[in-house]
Amino acid sequence: MSDVAERVASRRGLAWYELKQEIEEFLYQEADLLDQRRFREWLDLLAEDLVYFMPIRRNVKFGQHADKENTRQGEGISWFDEDKWTLGKRVDQILTGVHYAEEPLSRVTHMVSNVRLLDVQPSVDDPHEVTVGCRFLVFQNRVEYEQYTFIGRRTDVLRRHGDTWLIARRELILEQNVLLAKNLSIFF
Amino acid sequence: MTTQLPIDQMIDVQRGLISREIFVSPDFYQQELEKLFTRAWLFVGHESQIPNQGDFFTSRMGAESVILCRDHAGVVHVFLNSCRHRGMKVCRYEQGNTSLFVCPYHSWSYTTDGKLQGVPLYRALYEGTLQREDWPLIEVPRLALYKGTVWASWDAEAPDLLTYLGGAVDHLDQVLDCRDGRPGGSEVIGVHKWILPTNWKFAAENFLGDTYHNPSHRSVDMIGIGPSAQRGQTGRRDNEYNKGQHVWVGFPQGHGMHSVLMPEQFDYQPSYLQYPEVDEYFRHCFYERQRRQGEKARLMPFTGNLFPNTSYHGRQPRGLCVWHPHSPTETEAWRFFLVDADAPASVKEVLRRFYMRYSGPAGMTEQDDMENWLYATQASSGVIARRYPFNYQMSMGAYKTDDPVPGDVSLQITEQTPRNYYRVYSRYLKNEGWDSLLGRDVQPMREAAE
C-alpha cells in the first residue's frame, strides 16, 4: 500500500467522518455567506492572522514545477498575498457603493467539492487545527454579458473557535496562467 | 494593405475630436499592427529577468511573441518566437535558462545567439541546399538597453532609443533610478499578465496623464489603502506631493507624462507611517537624492506613457506596464513591478504588498479602471455610437513650451497629452518618415482655444 492510501485508510474511523462532515458544512456555509453577499459576516470567519494567498502560475519546463511553477507566498508578486486587514478593506470598498468594478454587484456562486482532511492537530478526537483540501469552481456573472469561471484547488487551515471554526490560511491554486478575467474583484 | 482610411478626418486634434473608429475598427487595428508596432520602440523586458548567460524571458512586441535572451557570451538579443521552418513557437516557457531553443515540431534547434544549429537528417535531406547560416531566428534589427530596461524596434531605420525618448527620459529616469538618486539599479519582482476586453489605447491614454478620471477611484480613496492607511490616512497612496506643482507634459515623439515639480526648498514628507523602518529608509533616500541630483531632484514622477504602449507608475506604486494588442477590442496587459535591487528586505516586503493591493486585476484601485475601459469599448462599438467622436477639448491651448520643465507643459489637468499622442499616432498610420514621427519637421501644435 502506498503512503497515501495507508494514511487515508488509517483515518477512517467514526470520529474522522464526523469531523469531515462538520468541516464540509462549515465550508458550504462560508461559501453561502459570500454568495449571499453577507461580506461582513464572512470576515468574521477569518482569523486575525489570516494568510490569503493565490499564486501566479507559470509555464515551466518539465521537472521544474515544484520549484518554479507557482509564485511563492511571502515573496515577489502573486495575485493575492495578503492579510485580514486587506480583505476587510476590499469589503469596505464594495460597501461604499461606488466601487464600480463591483457596482452593480456581480452574481457569484461558489462550488466546493472533493473535500479531504489532509491533517488534523493534535488528533481526530480533539481537533484544534484542521488542514482541508478541496476543489473550487467560482462562477461570476456581471452586468449583462460578462461571465468568468474560476476553477482550481484550495487548501485551507481551519482553527477551532468555540463551536465553530476560523480560517487561518487559504491557498488558492487557480488553473490559469495569463489571467482570463479582467478583474479579481470577488472573494475566493 | 494600402491605407485608404480617412485618418485626418478621424483624428482632428485641432478641434479636439477623435473618432471612436480608432478604438474599435479592425481596419485601424490592422494598420496599427502594420505601421506602428513594426516601427516604434517597444519595451520587451528588464535585464534583471535575464541576469545569467542562457537566461530567457518570453515577451511580446505588438501582437507577436518574442524571446528576450542573454546568449552564452552575455549579449542580449530579442528574437521572433517562431521557427524558420514551419513557424512553431520555439519557446513556450515563460522564462528559464537554456543552451538551445528546440522547436517541438521538426526539432530544428537554435543557439541562444539565434543561430540555426540542429537540422535533423541534414546530410540526407538538405546537404547542398539549406545554408544554416541563412536561417537564424528572426532578430530585431534594433535593440537598446537603458538602465536595466530592454527595448526593441523592427525598423532598422529607427533613431536610437534616447532620440526616440527625447525629453521624456528625464521622467522615465524617475522610475528607473534608485530612490536615493543613483542611476538605474531597479529589479523586476514579478509580472502580472491578464486579458482586458478593451482597446489597448484606452489603457495607454490613462497613463498619459488622465488625472481627470480620479472620481472613478472614489471608493478606494474613501477607504484608504495607502502605506499610511493604518495611521488613519485616507487615499490610495501617501500624499508626498502636496507642496508640489503638478505638470502634464507632452513631447513631440508622442510621449506624455504627469509629474510633479517640487518647490525649490522642499523637505521630506513623512510616508509609510505604519512602517517606521520604511519611512526611515525613504527619508534617507530623499536626502541622498537631493544631495546627488540637486535641482534635478525637484522632478518627481506620477504616471506616464512612452509612445505607443509602455506606461509607468513612478513611485507609489512603481512599475512598467505594456498594453499588448490582441484585437481591436482585446488587450493583454503586462505589469512589471519594480523595486531598488539593493533595498532592505523589509522595504521590499512593504512595497510588494502595497503594489498587489493597488495594481492589476486584484488591485483595489485599478479594478475600477478595467471596468471603465471595458464598457467604454463596448459602448463605442455600435454603428450609431461610431458616428459620434470622443471629446478631447479639455484645456485647449493651455500650455507653455519648456516652462517650467522641458516639453509642452500644462499646469492644469489637460487633454493636451492625448491630443499630442494621437497626432503622432496618425503620422505612423500615414507611414511618415522618422523626422515627422519625432516631431522635427512640424511647428508646435496650437489649437484654437475655445
Side-chain angles (χ1 to χ4, degrees):
Chain A
M1 210 187 309
S2 75
D3 285 355
V4 172
E6 200 166 340
R7 206 167 61 225
V8 169
S10 70
R11 284 182 180 172
R12 282 183 178 162
L14 188 57
W16 186 86
Y17 280 111
E18 281 180 2
L19 178 62
K20 179 167 182 285
Q21 188 64 31
E22 183 184 339
I23 296 293
E24 283 189 23
E25 282 183 24
F26 173 80
L27 295 180
Y28 300 152
Q29 283 170 10
E30 185 228 337
D32 198 52
L33 283 179
L34 285 175
D35 295 347
Q36 291 190 48
R37 301 157 174 163
R38 291 158 66 182
F39 301 121
R40 289 251 182 258
E41 290 167 76
W42 177 71
L43 285 176
D44 289 341
L45 300 182
L46 309 181
E48 292 305 314
D49 59 347
L50 169 78
V51 171
Y52 183 82
F53 174 55
M54 183 190 283
I56 295 172
R57 318 283 305 283
R58 295 176 291 208
N59 296 309
V60 298
K61 203 172 170 56
F62 183 81
Q64 298 182 341
H65 288 85
D67 283 345
K68 294 188 174 162
E69 183 179 21
N70 297 344
T71 55
R72 293 179 183 215
Q73 201 254 316
E75 58 185 74
I77 296 292
S78 294
W79 292 126
F80 295 101
D81 185 359
E82 62 192 46
D83 53 15
K84 185 175 181 178
W85 178 79
T86 311
L87 285 168
K89 285 291 178 186
R90 293 182 187 277
V91 169
D92 291 345
Q93 187 181 21
I94 289 170
L95 298 182
T96 63
V98 289
H99 177 29
Y100 299 109
E102 278 300 323
E103 180 57 36
L105 284 168
S106 297
R107 289 165 285 274
V108 180
T109 280
H110 289 73
M111 310 280 288
V112 175
S113 76
N114 305 33
V115 177
R116 294 175 304 145
L117 303 187
L118 302 176
D119 190 33
V120 183
Q121 294 296 335
S123 71
V124 171
D125 296 319
D126 182 25
H128 283 243
E129 198 167 271
V130 177
T131 304
V132 52
C134 69
R135 297 291 186 268
F136 65 87
L137 189 163
V138 180
F139 178 82
Q140 177 189 15
N141 172 270
R142 174 148 190 73
V143 191
E144 295 164 299
Y145 316 112
E146 269 188 274
Q147 207 152 279
Y148 306 101
T149 306
F150 304 95
I151 297 178
R153 291 167 278 151
R154 195 173 90 190
T155 305
D156 295 329
V157 175
L158 306 182
R159 200 178 287 150
R160 170 66 80 193
H161 181 71
D163 55 3
T164 183
W165 299 86
L166 291 178
I167 302 163
R169 181 182 165 81
R170 171 157 292 174
E171 181 177 278
L172 298 141
I173 307 291
L174 178 68
E175 308 291 13
Q176 293 185 22
N177 166 241
V178 174
L179 184 73
L180 301 177
K182 81 179 199 298
N183 274 334
L184 294 167
S185 57
I186 58 175
F187 300 102
F188 290 89
Chain B
M1 185 196 279
T2 56
T3 178
Q4 300 298 329
L5 298 174
I7 292 166
D8 288 329
Q9 291 96 300
M10 296 291 181
I11 301 170
D12 183 352
V13 295
Q14 304 298 327
R15 292 197 297 155
L17 303 175
I18 294 177
S19 169
R20 298 176 190 224
E21 291 287 351
I22 72 165
F23 296 92
V24 295
S25 143
D27 294 336
F28 269 88
Y29 177 75
Q30 190 60 31
Q31 293 294 309
E32 290 171 354
L33 295 185
E34 292 183 15
K35 296 177 177 169
L36 195 164
F37 286 100
T38 53
R39 299 184 73 192
W41 279 96
L42 305 172
F43 173 79
V44 290
H46 194 283
E47 285 192 83
S48 64
Q49 298 175 289
I50 51 163
N52 303 309
Q53 295 170 4
D55 284 351
F56 65 87
F57 170 72
T58 308
S59 187
R60 297 178 71 85
M61 289 174 68
E64 292 174 82
S65 178
V66 298
I67 303 168
L68 167 62
C69 174
R70 188 181 295 278
D71 73 18
H72 279 79
V75 179
V76 175
H77 300 267
V78 173
F79 303 114
L80 192 70
N81 185 7
S82 181
C83 183
R84 295 299 302 274
H85 177 236
R86 281 296 177 281
M88 174 66 186
K89 278 189 174 180
V90 299
C91 183
R92 289 166 303 140
Y93 307 119
E94 279 175 88
Q95 58 191 103
N97 184 280
T98 193
S99 53
L100 284 176
F101 296 103
V102 181
C103 179
Y105 200 171
H106 303 92
S107 289
W108 282 26
S109 60
Y110 302 86
T111 54
T112 52
D113 57 358
K115 292 191 181 76
L116 175 59
Q117 176 168 292
V119 177
L121 303 175
Y122 180 84
R123 282 195 185 157
L125 307 180
Y126 287 108
E127 186 85 69
T129 308
L130 171 68
Q131 304 300 319
R132 281 193 189 85
E133 57 272 26
D134 293 341
W135 296 89
L137 286 174
I138 297 162
E139 182 162 11
V140 292
R142 303 299 305 279
L143 181 139
L145 309 177
Y146 183 71
K147 293 185 174 177
T149 54
V150 184
W151 304 73
S153 165
W154 288 113
D155 185 355
E157 306 302 315
D160 65 82
L161 176 69
L162 286 179
T163 302
Y164 179 87
L165 292 174
V169 78
D170 290 340
H171 300 258
L172 179 62
D173 280 347
Q174 309 314 319
V175 184
L176 301 181
D177 286 347
C178 282
R179 304 296 85 173
D180 65 4
R182 285 171 292 152
S186 67
E187 68 173 355
V188 172
I189 57 165
V191 183
H192 273 168
K193 302 179 181 180
W194 76 107
I195 299 295
L196 295 175
T198 188
N199 184 275
W200 63 274
K201 294 187 293 299
F202 274 107
E205 203 186 289
N206 193 84
F207 283 80
L208 279 168
D210 176 12
T211 315
Y212 197 54
H213 83 281
N214 252 341
S216 71
H217 296 306
R218 196 156 29 133
S219 64
V220 79
D221 285 339
M222 285 162 71
I223 61 163
I225 62 160
S228 303
Q230 286 176 10
R231 291 289 176 275
Q233 187 173 304
T234 57
R236 55 192 188 268
R237 57 173 89 84
D238 284 318
N239 192 358
E240 300 180 285
Y241 300 152
N242 56 358
K243 295 198 172 71
Q245 170 65 58
H246 289 244
V247 290
W248 290 264
V249 191
F251 293 96
Q253 304 87 349
H255 319 304
M257 281 79 209
H258 171 200
S259 293
V260 177
L261 190 64
M262 300 303 286
E264 279 181 35
Q265 301 294 325
F266 72 105
D267 206 350
Y268 176 72
Q269 298 290 306
S271 51
Y272 298 90
L273 297 183
Q274 63 207 47
Y275 315 102
E277 194 181 340
V278 180
D279 181 31
E280 193 48 46
Y281 172 76
F282 280 99
R283 183 186 304 273
H284 166 80
C285 287
F286 175 88
Y287 293 117
E288 279 297 299
R289 183 170 175 274
Q290 276 195 332
R291 189 181 61 75
R292 285 199 169 91
Q293 299 190 344
E295 177 71 8
K296 276 199 145 187
R298 289 175 61 196
L299 188 67
M300 303 287 269
F302 232 111
T303 65
N305 186 72
L306 288 316
F307 191 91
N309 66 333
T310 303
S311 299
Y312 66 74
H313 260 127
R315 216 170 149 79
Q316 277 190 356
R318 179 184 176 196
L320 293 158
C321 326
V322 190
W323 316 107
H324 299 294
H326 261 209
S327 83
T329 55
E330 188 172 281
T331 300
E332 183 167 332
W334 286 17
R335 185 187 291 276
F336 299 72
F337 292 94
L338 295 174
V339 297
D340 284 352
D342 60 5
S346 57
V347 171
K348 291 184 182 181
E349 173 66 11
V350 166
L351 291 177
R352 75 177 187 91
R353 284 178 172 270
F354 174 65
Y355 295 170
M356 283 186 282
R357 68 178 182 264
Y358 187 104
S359 297
M364 284 183 261
T365 303
E366 295 185 356
Q367 289 178 351
D368 292 323
D369 292 321
M370 260 76 87
E371 189 82 359
N372 291 329
W373 301 338
L374 189 175
Y375 289 101
T377 299
Q378 201 179 86
S380 295
S381 298
V383 172
I384 302 298
R386 287 154 82 155
R387 293 178 185 168
Y388 295 87
F390 286 151
N391 183 296
Y392 284 82
Q393 295 177 329
M394 188 195 300
S395 300
M396 277 284 210
Y399 67 93
K400 293 178 176 176
T401 300
D402 298 338
D403 179 19
V405 292
D408 287 342
V409 188
S410 175
L411 301 182
Q412 64 193 46
I413 299 177
T414 183
E415 283 168 351
Q416 172 61 22
T417 45
R419 285 192 292 272
N420 177 57
Y421 176 89
Y422 289 114
R423 183 177 60 155
V424 175
Y425 167 91
S426 69
R427 291 185 186 150
Y428 277 87
L429 263 54
K430 288 187 278 188
N431 236 348
E432 296 190 2
W434 274 106
D435 275 348
S436 168
L437 301 181
L438 297 174
R440 282 172 172 162
D441 62 342
V442 286
Q443 296 299 309
M445 178 169 57
R446 283 291 166 195
E447 314 93 338
E450 292 297 311

